[in-house]
Amino acid sequence: MPKKRKKLKLPLAYKPLGFALGWASGALAGLAFEAAWKAVRHEEDAPDALDKDRGWGEVLLAAALQGALFAVARSAADRTGAKAVERSTGVWPSPDKKAKRSGGTRGGRS
């Protein structure tokens, strides 16, 4: 009988790398947000929710811009890290979400 190959536990091993990439992407997104706010509003400081002297529009614009930049940076970092792990190990570092969504082998798209 052939031996069963042990499935690699990459999701757990990937976590420290994912954490480091997430931290770095957050720092870069913060810098990008500061630069974008200066370009959009020509101001040094972006408003936050508790800034009494700023209106709803400014506060929500800043929050939307910041959220979008953080989401893009985090996704780019996660995707880059996952592709690097796959290239070096041959295994994607997260569980197959397609199988979970389709309920296993039934009804899934290929």
Side-chain angles (χ1 to χ4, degrees), residues 36-107:
W37 187 257
K38 285 177 188 175
V40 169
R41 299 294 294 190
H42 308 292
E43 298 173 350
E44 290 293 318
D45 295 327
D48 65 11
L50 299 178
D51 194 341
K52 185 177 179 178
D53 298 327
R54 303 291 184 110
W56 277 95
E58 280 185 296
V59 169
L60 295 180
L61 174 64
L65 180 61
Q66 187 176 32
L69 288 171
F70 272 84
V72 167
R74 179 64 192 256
S75 293
D78 284 346
R79 188 70 178 191
T80 300
K83 292 295 259 180
V85 166
E86 183 183 39
R87 272 193 309 275
S88 63
T89 65
V91 178
W92 191 257
S94 71
D96 185 14
K97 291 184 180 181
K98 231 187 225 186
K100 284 183 183 178
R101 279 195 304 261
S102 67
T105 57
R106 296 178 288 135

Side-chain angles (χ1 to χ4, degrees), residues 12-30:
L12 184 59
Y14 177 74
K15 289 202 185 279
L17 176 62
F19 176 78
L21 288 171
W23 182 83
S25 70
L28 289 174

Side-chain angles (χ1 to χ4, degrees), residues 1 8 11 26-27 30-31 46 50 63 76-77 79 83 107 110:
M1 278 185 135
L8 293 174
L31 294 173
L50 299 178
R79 188 70 178 191
K83 292 295 259 180
S110 324

